[in-house]
Amino acid sequence: LSNIGIGSLDSNPNSDFYANIGTAALETRSVISIMSIEGSNCAMNSLGKCAEITGGRVNVLNPFELVAEIQRIAQNPVVAEQAEIQVFAKPVFELESFQESGKVSWKLEHGNVMKESD
């Protein structure tokens, strides 16, 4: 169970535990997907970091949707590992919404890319 024992966020809500788990999984080219039951209190902002880092999915589900979602995840294979996205612009343009303004390129290390990734 998440948020209990070693992954507990009660004593340290700002813990990087789940981000560290995601980073470790990415290094082994693994994908973590997180499923939560609707109405549960599971600190999805912290848990979701694992999925975000590895390219997995985050879903808050009605209990009746659980089996169907597991099937969807199984049918969504990894199509690229250690993917990077890089955007280039001429010096007259600024990539404001990306990291530092004034840069002519922006790079994002995305990790794993799934067949149905956005």
Side-chain angles (χ1 to χ4, degrees), residues 2-51:
S2 64
N3 303 339
I4 295 175
I6 194 169
S8 176
L9 296 171
D10 290 336
S11 60
N12 184 6
N14 298 320
S15 172
D16 289 332
F17 177 79
Y18 292 102
N20 293 339
I21 293 292
T23 301
L26 185 60
E27 289 171 3
T28 63
R29 299 179 177 175
S30 299
V31 176
I32 297 174
S33 290
I34 305 290
M35 288 184 279
S36 172
I37 303 299
E38 207 171 67
S40 65
N41 183 16
C42 66
M44 192 56 79
N45 290 340
S46 294
L47 284 173
K49 289 178 184 175
C50 294

Side-chain angles (χ1 to χ4, degrees), residues 81-95:
E81 297 175 342
Q82 299 175 326
E84 294 180 351
I85 300 167
Q86 193 157 9
V87 177
F88 294 93
K90 292 187 177 212
V92 296
F93 296 106
E94 233 179 67
L95 301 173

Side-chain angles (χ1 to χ4, degrees), residues 43-114:
M44 192 56 79
N45 290 340
S46 294
L47 284 173
K49 289 178 184 175
C50 294
E52 182 181 326
I53 291 168
T54 63
R57 296 172 62 154
V58 175
N59 294 307
V60 179
L61 304 168
N62 176 306
F64 299 110
E65 299 171 331
L66 197 57
V67 172
E69 184 59 27
I70 291 170
Q71 289 174 338
R72 278 191 288 275
I73 289 171
Q75 294 171 354
N76 190 20
V78 174
V79 294
E81 297 175 342
Q82 299 175 326
E84 294 180 351
I85 300 167
Q86 193 157 9
V87 177
F88 294 93
K90 292 187 177 212
V92 296
F93 296 106
E94 233 179 67
L95 301 173
E96 273 183 36
S97 61
F98 304 117
Q99 294 176 341
E100 304 169 27
S101 71
K103 292 181 80 175
V104 294
S105 71
W106 171 80
K107 181 177 171 182
L108 171 69
E109 293 180 7
H110 184 68
N112 295 316
V113 177
M114 311 300 284

